[in-house]
Amino acid sequence: MVSLDEAARVLREGGIVGVPTETVYGLAARGLDPAAVARVYAAKGRPTGHPLILHVLDPEPYGVMDARARALAAAFWPGPLTLVVPRRPVVPDAVTGGHDTVALRDPAAPLLRALIERVGPIAAPSANRFGAVSPTTAAHVLADFPDLPVVDGGECVVGVESTIVDLTGPAAILRPGGVSRAEVERIVGPVAIGGRTAAPGTLASHYAPRARVVVTHDPDAVAAGLPGRVAVLRARPPEEYAATLYAALRALDAQGVDVIVAEWCAEEGIGAAVNDRLRRAATPAT
Ligand code: TXA
Ligand code: MG
């Protein structure tokens, strides 16, 4: 664990650090430094060409914010919403994967805001190894990256990643997350689900623990019929399910269970994001 001062020093020198956000922990580098951003890809084992989110306190220097983008930003920033907009030239290809768009998020977590204030915009994917469950505590980050300097901000309050809205054409939700579809539609009208851009969060098998995951409306009946060490993950109110989901998957994995039988969340509010992650966790790795 490191202090904010130490984290800022590492970032200024082109290094990477684990940082808390309100959604999940991020693997942070200075976003305008291509060599630092390359270290993020290398550490994660993430294929290059998969773009990163640029965390900013002011989007204007980095992306072209149209009226929809400004309205969404006014409604939900700082917070768990990412906007894909046309990039400005200052944003390096290392962040955008060479695309002519950039994903921008103004995060709510105070420690991350303080870091951005000190070192400028921060590029950060979730601080897990590629394809694994996202971290919601500093200990989760250290489990995946034992030598990484991490700023401890406690447990992430939202618990699932930001909602990504693509505004480069008709508004489309690329990934459900901390802001619900209904909340987005209240600001910009009807939005499509899914989009033009392939993204790692949209690969079929992502967010997957080692154990097999089965999702059902009737976990007790399903669990009773399965062989091996079977654990049940019961539904709870959507916000609570979201806040505890990744920690629960990691804890059950650590216990060495063979199968996690998870109950679908009520599909309301952040429940859509919970069910999206459960669906992906349940897809067998290929
Ligand atoms: O809550 C979050 O969004 C967390 C915290 C750390 O901010 N970050 C996160 O990053 O989930 P990551 O890298 O795990 O997921 C970012 C997603 C990826 O699916 C990526 O492909 C997509 O955002 N993305 C980034 N730039 C994009 C772009 N220009 N166009 C389309 N999708 C983009
Ligand atoms: Mg991720």
Side-chain angles (χ1 to χ4, degrees), residues 193-279:
I193 301 289
R196 301 164 284 279
T197 318
T202 66
L203 292 181
S205 178
H206 202 63
Y207 312 105
R210 204 163 358 105
R212 188 156 77 86
V213 177
V214 176
V215 197
T216 171
H217 290 289
D218 192 355
D220 295 309
V222 170
L226 288 170
R229 292 190 57 195
V230 180
V232 168
L233 182 57
R234 230 169 276 286
R236 49 209 75 194
E239 290 190 359
E240 188 188 328
Y241 207 166
T244 55
L245 175 66
Y246 290 147
L249 293 177
R250 280 176 176 262
L252 292 171
D253 245 0
Q255 289 166 28
V257 305
D258 302 309
V259 189
I260 299 169
V261 179
E263 186 173 4
W264 290 113
C265 186
E267 183 83 15
E268 60 195 42
I270 201 168
V274 171
N275 287 336
D276 171 76
R277 305 309 188 267
L278 287 175
R279 210 173 286 120

Coordinates of all heavy atoms in Angstrom, one line a residue, residues 193-279:
I193 N -28.8 -0.9 -27.2 CA -27.9 -1.7 -26.4 C -27.0 -2.5 -27.3 O -27.4 -3.1 -28.3 CB -28.7 -2.8 -25.5 CG1 -29.7 -2.1 -24.6 CG2 -27.8 -3.7 -24.7 CD1 -29.1 -1.3 -23.5
G194 N -25.7 -2.4 -27.0 CA -24.7 -3.0 -27.8 C -24.3 -2.0 -28.9 O -24.9 -1.0 -29.0
G195 N -23.1 -2.2 -29.5 CA -22.7 -1.2 -30.4 C -21.7 -1.6 -31.5 O -21.5 -2.8 -31.7
R196 N -21.1 -0.6 -32.1 CA -20.2 -0.9 -33.2 C -18.9 -1.3 -32.8 O -18.2 -2.0 -33.6 CB -20.1 0.4 -34.0 CG -21.4 0.9 -34.5 CD -21.4 2.4 -34.9 NE -21.3 3.3 -33.8 CZ -22.4 3.7 -33.2 NH1 -23.6 3.3 -33.5 NH2 -22.3 4.6 -32.1
T197 N -18.5 -1.0 -31.6 CA -17.1 -1.1 -31.2 C -16.8 -2.4 -30.4 O -17.5 -2.6 -29.3 CB -16.6 0.1 -30.4 OG1 -17.1 1.2 -30.9 CG2 -15.1 0.1 -30.3
A198 N -16.0 -3.3 -30.8 CA -15.6 -4.4 -30.0 C -14.8 -4.0 -28.8 O -13.9 -3.1 -28.9 CB -14.8 -5.4 -30.8
A199 N -15.1 -4.5 -27.6 CA -14.4 -4.1 -26.4 C -14.2 -5.3 -25.5 O -15.0 -6.2 -25.6 CB -15.2 -3.1 -25.7
P200 N -13.1 -5.3 -24.7 CA -12.9 -6.5 -23.9 C -14.0 -6.9 -23.0 O -14.3 -8.0 -22.7 CB -11.6 -6.2 -23.2 CG -11.3 -4.8 -23.4 CD -12.1 -4.4 -24.6
G201 N -14.6 -5.8 -22.5 CA -15.8 -6.0 -21.6 C -16.9 -6.7 -22.3 O -17.9 -7.1 -21.7
T202 N -16.9 -6.7 -23.6 CA -18.0 -7.3 -24.4 C -17.5 -8.7 -25.0 O -18.3 -9.3 -25.7 CB -18.4 -6.4 -25.6 OG1 -17.3 -6.3 -26.5 CG2 -18.7 -5.0 -25.1
L203 N -16.3 -9.1 -24.7 CA -16.0 -10.5 -25.1 C -16.9 -11.5 -24.3 O -17.3 -11.2 -23.2 CB -14.5 -10.8 -24.7 CG -13.5 -10.1 -25.6 CD1 -12.1 -10.5 -25.2 CD2 -13.7 -10.3 -27.1
A204 N -17.2 -12.6 -24.9 CA -18.2 -13.5 -24.3 C -17.8 -13.9 -22.9 O -18.5 -13.8 -21.9 CB -18.4 -14.7 -25.2
S205 N -16.6 -14.4 -22.7 CA -16.1 -14.8 -21.4 C -15.2 -13.8 -20.8 O -14.1 -13.6 -21.1 CB -15.4 -16.2 -21.5 OG -15.0 -16.5 -20.2
H206 N -15.8 -13.1 -19.8 CA -15.0 -12.0 -19.1 C -15.5 -12.0 -17.7 O -16.6 -12.5 -17.5 CB -15.3 -10.7 -19.8 CG -14.2 -9.7 -19.6 ND1 -12.9 -9.9 -20.0 CD2 -14.2 -8.5 -19.0 CE1 -12.2 -8.8 -19.7 NE2 -13.0 -7.9 -19.1
Y207 N -14.8 -11.4 -16.8 CA -15.2 -11.4 -15.4 C -15.4 -12.8 -14.8 O -16.2 -13.0 -14.0 CB -16.6 -10.7 -15.3 CG -16.7 -9.3 -16.0 CD1 -17.4 -9.2 -17.2 CD2 -16.1 -8.2 -15.5 CE1 -17.4 -8.0 -17.9 CE2 -16.1 -7.0 -16.1 CZ -16.8 -6.9 -17.3 OH -16.9 -5.7 -18.0
A208 N -14.7 -13.8 -15.3 CA -14.9 -15.1 -15.0 C -14.0 -15.6 -13.8 O -12.8 -15.5 -13.9 CB -14.8 -16.1 -16.2
P209 N -14.6 -16.2 -12.8 CA -13.8 -16.8 -11.7 C -13.3 -18.2 -12.2 O -13.7 -18.6 -13.3 CB -14.7 -17.0 -10.6 CG -16.1 -17.0 -11.2 CD -16.0 -16.2 -12.5
R210 N -12.5 -18.8 -11.4 CA -12.0 -20.2 -11.8 C -13.1 -21.2 -11.8 O -13.2 -22.1 -12.6 CB -10.8 -20.6 -10.9 CG -9.9 -21.6 -11.4 CD -8.6 -21.6 -10.6 NE -8.5 -20.7 -9.5 CZ -8.6 -21.0 -8.2 NH1 -8.8 -22.2 -7.9 NH2 -8.5 -20.1 -7.3
A211 N -13.9 -21.1 -10.7 CA -15.0 -22.1 -10.6 C -16.0 -21.9 -11.8 O -16.1 -20.8 -12.4 CB -15.8 -21.8 -9.3
R212 N -16.7 -23.0 -12.1 CA -17.8 -22.9 -13.1 C -19.0 -22.1 -12.4 O -19.2 -22.2 -11.2 CB -18.3 -24.3 -13.4 CG -19.3 -24.4 -14.5 CD -19.2 -25.7 -15.2 NE -19.9 -26.7 -14.4 CZ -21.2 -27.0 -14.5 NH1 -22.0 -26.3 -15.3 NH2 -21.8 -27.9 -13.7
V213 N -19.6 -21.2 -13.2 CA -20.7 -20.4 -12.7 C -22.0 -20.8 -13.4 O -22.0 -20.9 -14.6 CB -20.5 -18.9 -12.9 CG1 -21.7 -18.1 -12.4 CG2 -19.2 -18.5 -12.1
V214 N -23.0 -21.1 -12.6 CA -24.3 -21.4 -13.2 C -25.3 -20.4 -12.6 O -25.3 -20.1 -11.4 CB -24.8 -22.8 -12.7 CG1 -26.2 -23.1 -13.2 CG2 -23.9 -23.9 -13.2
V215 N -26.1 -19.7 -13.5 CA -27.0 -18.7 -13.1 C -28.4 -19.2 -13.2 O -28.8 -19.8 -14.3 CB -26.8 -17.4 -13.8 CG1 -27.5 -16.2 -13.1 CG2 -25.3 -17.1 -14.1
T216 N -29.2 -19.0 -12.2 CA -30.6 -19.6 -12.2 C -31.5 -18.7 -11.3 O -31.1 -17.9 -10.5 CB -30.5 -21.0 -11.6 OG1 -31.8 -21.5 -11.4 CG2 -29.8 -21.0 -10.3
H217 N -32.8 -19.0 -11.5 CA -33.8 -18.4 -10.6 C -34.1 -19.2 -9.4 O -34.7 -18.8 -8.5 CB -35.1 -18.1 -11.4 CG -35.0 -17.0 -12.4 ND1 -34.9 -15.7 -12.1 CD2 -35.0 -17.0 -13.8 CE1 -34.8 -14.9 -13.1 NE2 -34.8 -15.7 -14.2
D218 N -33.6 -20.5 -9.4 CA -33.9 -21.4 -8.3 C -32.6 -22.1 -7.9 O -32.3 -23.3 -8.2 CB -34.9 -22.4 -8.8 CG -35.5 -23.3 -7.7 OD1 -35.0 -23.1 -6.5 OD2 -36.3 -24.1 -8.0
P219 N -31.7 -21.3 -7.2 CA -30.4 -21.8 -6.9 C -30.4 -23.1 -6.0 O -29.5 -24.0 -6.2 CB -29.7 -20.7 -6.1 CG -30.8 -19.8 -5.7 CD -31.9 -20.0 -6.6
D220 N -31.3 -23.2 -5.1 CA -31.3 -24.4 -4.2 C -31.5 -25.7 -4.9 O -30.8 -26.6 -4.7 CB -32.3 -24.2 -3.0 CG -31.9 -23.0 -2.1 OD1 -30.7 -23.0 -1.7 OD2 -32.7 -22.1 -1.9
A221 N -32.5 -25.6 -5.8 CA -32.9 -26.8 -6.6 C -31.7 -27.2 -7.5 O -31.3 -28.4 -7.6 CB -34.1 -26.6 -7.4
V222 N -31.1 -26.2 -8.2 CA -30.0 -26.5 -9.1 C -28.8 -27.0 -8.3 O -28.2 -28.0 -8.7 CB -29.6 -25.2 -9.9 CG1 -28.4 -25.4 -10.7 CG2 -30.8 -24.8 -10.8
A223 N -28.5 -26.3 -7.2 CA -27.3 -26.8 -6.4 C -27.5 -28.2 -5.9 O -26.5 -29.0 -5.9 CB -27.1 -25.8 -5.2
A224 N -28.7 -28.6 -5.5 CA -28.9 -29.9 -5.0 C -28.6 -31.0 -6.0 O -28.3 -32.1 -5.7 CB -30.4 -30.0 -4.5
G225 N -28.8 -30.6 -7.3 CA -28.6 -31.6 -8.4 C -27.2 -31.7 -8.9 O -26.9 -32.4 -9.9
L226 N -26.2 -30.9 -8.4 CA -24.9 -30.8 -8.9 C -23.9 -31.6 -8.1 O -23.9 -31.5 -6.8 CB -24.4 -29.4 -9.0 CG -25.1 -28.6 -10.1 CD1 -24.7 -27.1 -10.0 CD2 -24.7 -29.1 -11.5
P227 N -22.9 -32.3 -8.7 CA -21.9 -32.9 -8.0 C -20.7 -32.0 -7.6 O -20.7 -30.8 -8.1 CB -21.3 -34.0 -9.0 CG -21.5 -33.3 -10.3 CD -22.8 -32.4 -10.2
G228 N -19.8 -32.4 -6.7 CA -18.7 -31.6 -6.4 C -19.0 -30.6 -5.3 O -20.0 -30.6 -4.6
R229 N -18.0 -29.7 -5.0 CA -18.2 -28.7 -4.0 C -19.0 -27.5 -4.6 O -18.5 -26.8 -5.5 CB -16.9 -28.2 -3.5 CG -16.1 -29.2 -2.7 CD -14.9 -28.6 -2.0 NE -15.3 -27.5 -1.2 CZ -14.4 -26.6 -0.7 NH1 -13.2 -26.6 -1.0 NH2 -14.9 -25.6 0.1
V230 N -20.2 -27.4 -4.2 CA -21.1 -26.4 -4.8 C -21.5 -25.3 -3.8 O -21.8 -25.6 -2.6 CB -22.5 -27.1 -5.2 CG1 -23.4 -26.1 -5.9 CG2 -22.1 -28.2 -6.2
A231 N -21.4 -24.0 -4.2 CA -21.7 -22.9 -3.4 C -22.9 -22.1 -4.0 O -22.9 -22.0 -5.2 CB -20.5 -22.0 -3.2
V232 N -23.8 -21.6 -3.2 CA -24.9 -20.8 -3.7 C -24.6 -19.3 -3.4 O -24.2 -19.0 -2.3 CB -26.2 -21.3 -3.0 CG1 -27.3 -20.3 -3.3 CG2 -26.6 -22.7 -3.5
L233 N -24.8 -18.5 -4.4 CA -24.8 -17.1 -4.3 C -26.2 -16.5 -4.5 O -26.7 -16.5 -5.6 CB -23.8 -16.5 -5.3 CG -23.6 -15.0 -5.3 CD1 -23.0 -14.5 -3.9 CD2 -22.6 -14.6 -6.4
R234 N -26.8 -16.1 -3.3 CA -28.2 -15.7 -3.3 C -28.4 -14.3 -3.7 O -27.5 -13.4 -3.4 CB -28.7 -16.0 -1.9 CG -30.0 -16.8 -1.9 CD -30.3 -17.2 -0.5 NE -29.6 -18.4 -0.1 CZ -29.9 -19.6 -0.5 NH1 -30.9 -19.8 -1.4 NH2 -29.3 -20.6 -0.1
A235 N -29.5 -14.0 -4.4 CA -29.8 -12.6 -4.8 C -30.0 -11.8 -3.6 O -30.4 -12.3 -2.5 CB -31.0 -12.6 -5.8
R236 N -29.8 -10.5 -3.7 CA -30.1 -9.5 -2.7 C -30.6 -8.3 -3.5 O -30.5 -8.2 -4.7 CB -29.0 -9.3 -1.8 CG -27.7 -9.0 -2.5 CD -26.4 -9.5 -1.8 NE -26.3 -10.9 -1.8 CZ -25.5 -11.6 -1.0 NH1 -24.8 -11.0 -0.1 NH2 -25.5 -12.9 -1.1
P237 N -31.0 -7.2 -2.8 CA -31.4 -6.0 -3.5 C -30.3 -5.6 -4.5 O -29.1 -5.7 -4.2 CB -31.6 -5.0 -2.4 CG -31.9 -5.8 -1.2 CD -31.1 -7.0 -1.3
P238 N -30.6 -5.1 -5.7 CA -29.6 -4.8 -6.7 C -28.4 -4.1 -6.3 O -27.3 -4.5 -6.7 CB -30.4 -4.0 -7.8 CG -31.9 -4.5 -7.6 CD -32.0 -4.8 -6.2
E239 N -28.5 -3.0 -5.6 CA -27.3 -2.2 -5.2 C -26.4 -3.0 -4.3 O -25.2 -2.9 -4.4 CB -27.7 -0.8 -4.6 CG -28.4 0.0 -5.7 CD -28.6 1.5 -5.2 OE1 -28.3 1.8 -4.1 OE2 -29.1 2.2 -6.1
E240 N -27.0 -3.8 -3.4 CA -26.2 -4.6 -2.5 C -25.6 -5.7 -3.3 O -24.4 -6.1 -3.0 CB -27.1 -5.1 -1.4 CG -26.4 -5.8 -0.3 CD -27.4 -6.5 0.7 OE1 -28.5 -5.9 0.8 OE2 -27.1 -7.5 1.2
Y241 N -26.3 -6.3 -4.2 CA -25.8 -7.4 -5.0 C -24.5 -6.9 -5.8 O -23.5 -7.5 -5.9 CB -26.8 -8.0 -5.9 CG -26.7 -9.4 -6.4 CD1 -27.8 -10.1 -7.0 CD2 -25.5 -10.2 -6.2 CE1 -27.7 -11.4 -7.4 CE2 -25.4 -11.5 -6.6 CZ -26.5 -12.1 -7.2 OH -26.4 -13.4 -7.6
A242 N -24.7 -5.7 -6.4 CA -23.6 -5.1 -7.2 C -22.4 -4.9 -6.3 O -21.3 -5.2 -6.7 CB -24.1 -3.8 -7.9
A243 N -22.6 -4.3 -5.2 CA -21.5 -3.9 -4.3 C -20.7 -5.1 -3.7 O -19.6 -5.0 -3.4 CB -22.0 -3.1 -3.1
T244 N -21.4 -6.3 -3.7 CA -20.8 -7.5 -3.1 C -20.4 -8.6 -4.1 O -19.8 -9.6 -3.7 CB -21.7 -8.1 -2.0 OG1 -23.0 -8.4 -2.6 CG2 -21.9 -7.1 -0.9
L245 N -20.8 -8.5 -5.4 CA -20.7 -9.6 -6.3 C -19.3 -10.0 -6.5 O -19.0 -11.2 -6.4 CB -21.3 -9.1 -7.7 CG -21.1 -10.1 -8.8 CD1 -21.9 -11.4 -8.5 CD2 -21.6 -9.5 -10.2
Y246 N -18.4 -9.1 -6.9 CA -17.0 -9.5 -7.2 C -16.3 -10.1 -6.0 O -15.5 -11.1 -6.1 CB -16.2 -8.4 -7.9 CG -16.7 -8.0 -9.2 CD1 -16.6 -6.7 -9.7 CD2 -17.2 -8.9 -10.1 CE1 -17.0 -6.3 -11.0 CE2 -17.6 -8.6 -11.4 CZ -17.5 -7.2 -11.8 OH -17.9 -6.9 -13.1
A247 N -16.5 -9.5 -4.9 CA -15.9 -10.0 -3.6 C -16.4 -11.4 -3.4 O -15.6 -12.3 -3.0 CB -16.1 -9.1 -2.5
A248 N -17.7 -11.6 -3.6 CA -18.2 -13.0 -3.3 C -17.6 -14.0 -4.3 O -17.3 -15.1 -3.9 CB -19.8 -12.9 -3.5
L249 N -17.5 -13.6 -5.6 CA -17.0 -14.6 -6.6 C -15.5 -14.9 -6.2 O -15.1 -16.0 -6.3 CB -17.0 -14.0 -8.0 CG -18.5 -13.8 -8.6 CD1 -18.4 -13.2 -9.9 CD2 -19.2 -15.2 -8.7
R250 N -14.8 -13.9 -5.8 CA -13.4 -14.1 -5.4 C -13.2 -15.0 -4.2 O -12.4 -15.8 -4.1 CB -12.6 -12.7 -5.2 CG -12.2 -12.1 -6.5 CD -11.6 -10.7 -6.2 NE -11.1 -10.1 -7.5 CZ -9.9 -10.2 -7.9 NH1 -8.9 -10.7 -7.2 NH2 -9.5 -9.6 -9.0
A251 N -14.1 -14.7 -3.2 CA -14.0 -15.5 -2.0 C -14.4 -16.9 -2.2 O -13.7 -17.8 -1.7 CB -15.0 -14.9 -0.9
L252 N -15.4 -17.2 -3.0 CA -15.8 -18.6 -3.3 C -14.7 -19.3 -4.1 O -14.4 -20.5 -3.8 CB -17.1 -18.6 -4.0 CG -18.3 -18.2 -3.2 CD1 -19.6 -18.0 -4.0 CD2 -18.5 -19.1 -2.0
D253 N -14.1 -18.6 -5.0 CA -12.9 -19.1 -5.8 C -11.8 -19.5 -4.8 O -11.2 -20.6 -4.9 CB -12.4 -18.1 -6.8 CG -12.6 -18.6 -8.2 OD1 -13.1 -19.7 -8.4 OD2 -12.2 -17.8 -9.1
A254 N -11.5 -18.6 -3.8 CA -10.4 -18.8 -2.9 C -10.7 -20.1 -2.0 O -9.8 -20.7 -1.6 CB -10.2 -17.6 -2.0
Q255 N -12.0 -20.3 -1.8 CA -12.4 -21.5 -1.0 C -12.2 -22.8 -1.8 O -12.4 -23.9 -1.3 CB -13.8 -21.4 -0.5 CG -14.0 -20.4 0.6 CD -15.5 -20.0 0.8 OE1 -16.3 -20.9 0.6 NE2 -15.7 -18.8 1.3
G256 N -12.0 -22.6 -3.1 CA -11.8 -23.8 -4.0 C -13.1 -24.5 -4.4 O -13.0 -25.7 -4.7
V257 N -14.2 -23.8 -4.4 CA -15.5 -24.5 -4.8 C -15.4 -24.9 -6.3 O -14.7 -24.2 -7.1 CB -16.7 -23.7 -4.5 CG1 -16.8 -23.3 -3.0 CG2 -16.8 -22.5 -5.4
D258 N -16.1 -25.9 -6.7 CA -16.1 -26.3 -8.1 C -17.1 -25.5 -8.9 O -16.9 -25.2 -10.1 CB -16.4 -27.8 -8.2 CG -15.4 -28.7 -7.5 OD1 -14.2 -28.5 -7.7 OD2 -15.8 -29.5 -6.7
V259 N -18.3 -25.3 -8.3 CA -19.4 -24.6 -9.0 C -20.0 -23.6 -8.1 O -20.2 -23.8 -6.9 CB -20.5 -25.6 -9.4 CG1 -21.5 -25.0 -10.3 CG2 -20.0 -26.9 -10.0
I260 N -20.2 -22.4 -8.7 CA -21.0 -21.3 -8.0 C -22.3 -21.2 -8.7 O -22.4 -21.0 -9.8 CB -20.3 -20.0 -8.1 CG1 -18.9 -20.0 -7.5 CG2 -21.1 -18.9 -7.5 CD1 -18.0 -18.8 -7.8
V261 N -23.4 -21.5 -7.9 CA -24.7 -21.4 -8.4 C -25.3 -20.0 -7.9 O -25.6 -19.8 -6.8 CB -25.7 -22.5 -7.9 CG1 -27.1 -22.4 -8.4 CG2 -25.1 -23.9 -8.3
A262 N -25.4 -19.1 -8.9 CA -25.7 -17.7 -8.6 C -27.2 -17.5 -9.0 O -27.6 -17.9 -10.0 CB -24.8 -16.8 -9.3
E263 N -27.9 -16.7 -8.1 CA -29.3 -16.4 -8.4 C -29.3 -15.1 -9.2 O -28.6 -14.1 -8.9 CB -30.0 -16.2 -7.1 CG -31.5 -16.0 -7.2 CD -32.2 -16.0 -5.9 OE1 -31.5 -16.1 -4.8 OE2 -33.4 -16.0 -5.9
W264 N -30.1 -15.1 -10.3 CA -30.3 -13.8 -11.0 C -30.8 -12.7 -10.1 O -31.5 -12.9 -9.2 CB -31.4 -14.0 -12.1 CG -31.0 -14.9 -13.3 CD1 -31.6 -16.1 -13.6 CD2 -30.0 -14.7 -14.3 NE1 -31.0 -16.6 -14.7 CE2 -30.0 -15.8 -15.2 CE3 -29.1 -13.6 -14.5 CZ2 -29.2 -15.9 -16.3 CZ3 -28.3 -13.7 -15.6 CH2 -28.3 -14.8 -16.5
C265 N -30.3 -11.5 -10.4 CA -30.7 -10.3 -9.7 C -32.0 -9.8 -10.3 O -32.3 -10.0 -11.5 CB -29.6 -9.2 -9.9 SG -29.9 -7.7 -8.9
A266 N -32.8 -9.1 -9.5 CA -34.0 -8.4 -10.1 C -33.4 -7.4 -11.2 O -32.5 -6.7 -10.9 CB -34.7 -7.6 -9.0
E267 N -34.0 -7.4 -12.4 CA -33.5 -6.7 -13.5 C -34.0 -5.2 -13.5 O -34.6 -4.7 -14.4 CB -34.0 -7.4 -14.8 CG -33.5 -6.8 -16.1 CD -32.1 -7.3 -16.6 OE1 -31.6 -8.3 -16.0 OE2 -31.5 -6.6 -17.5
E268 N -33.7 -4.6 -12.4 CA -34.1 -3.1 -12.3 C -32.8 -2.4 -11.8 O -32.0 -2.9 -11.0 CB -35.2 -3.0 -11.3 CG -34.8 -3.5 -9.9 CD -36.1 -3.7 -9.0 OE1 -37.1 -4.2 -9.4 OE2 -35.9 -3.4 -7.8
G269 N -32.7 -1.1 -12.3 CA -31.6 -0.3 -11.9 C -30.3 -1.0 -12.2 O -30.1 -1.5 -13.3
I270 N -29.4 -1.0 -11.3 CA -28.1 -1.6 -11.5 C -28.1 -3.1 -11.6 O -27.2 -3.8 -12.0 CB -27.1 -1.2 -10.3 CG1 -25.7 -1.3 -10.7 CG2 -27.4 -2.0 -9.0 CD1 -24.7 -0.7 -9.8
G271 N -29.3 -3.7 -11.4 CA -29.5 -5.2 -11.5 C -29.2 -5.6 -12.9 O -28.7 -6.8 -13.1
A272 N -29.4 -4.8 -13.9 CA -29.1 -5.2 -15.3 C -27.6 -5.4 -15.5 O -27.1 -6.3 -16.2 CB -29.6 -4.1 -16.3
A273 N -26.8 -4.6 -14.8 CA -25.3 -4.7 -14.8 C -24.9 -6.0 -14.1 O -24.0 -6.7 -14.5 CB -24.6 -3.5 -14.3
V274 N -25.5 -6.3 -12.9 CA -25.2 -7.5 -12.2 C -25.5 -8.7 -13.0 O -24.7 -9.6 -13.2 CB -26.1 -7.5 -10.9 CG1 -25.9 -8.9 -10.2 CG2 -25.7 -6.4 -9.9
N275 N -26.7 -8.7 -13.7 CA -27.0 -9.9 -14.5 C -26.1 -10.0 -15.7 O -25.8 -11.1 -16.1 CB -28.5 -9.8 -14.9 CG -29.4 -10.1 -13.8 OD1 -29.0 -10.8 -12.8 ND2 -30.7 -9.6 -13.9
D276 N -25.7 -8.9 -16.3 CA -24.7 -8.9 -17.4 C -23.4 -9.6 -16.9 O -22.9 -10.5 -17.6 CB -24.5 -7.5 -17.9 CG -23.3 -7.4 -18.8 OD1 -23.5 -7.7 -20.0 OD2 -22.2 -7.0 -18.4
R277 N -22.9 -9.2 -15.8 CA -21.7 -9.8 -15.3 C -21.9 -11.3 -14.9 O -21.0 -12.1 -15.2 CB -21.1 -9.1 -14.0 CG -20.9 -7.6 -14.2 CD -20.1 -7.2 -15.5 NE -19.8 -5.7 -15.4 CZ -20.6 -4.8 -16.0 NH1 -21.7 -5.1 -16.7 NH2 -20.2 -3.5 -15.9
L278 N -23.0 -11.6 -14.4 CA -23.3 -13.1 -14.1 C -23.3 -13.9 -15.4 O -22.8 -15.0 -15.5 CB -24.6 -13.2 -13.3 CG -24.6 -12.8 -11.9 CD1 -26.0 -12.9 -11.3 CD2 -23.7 -13.6 -11.0
R279 N -24.0 -13.3 -16.4 CA -24.1 -14.0 -17.7 C -22.7 -14.2 -18.3 O -22.3 -15.3 -18.8 CB -24.9 -13.1 -18.7 CG -25.7 -13.9 -19.7 CD -26.6 -12.9 -20.5 NE -27.7 -12.5 -19.7 CZ -28.0 -11.2 -19.4 NH1 -27.3 -10.2 -19.8 NH2 -29.1 -11.0 -18.7

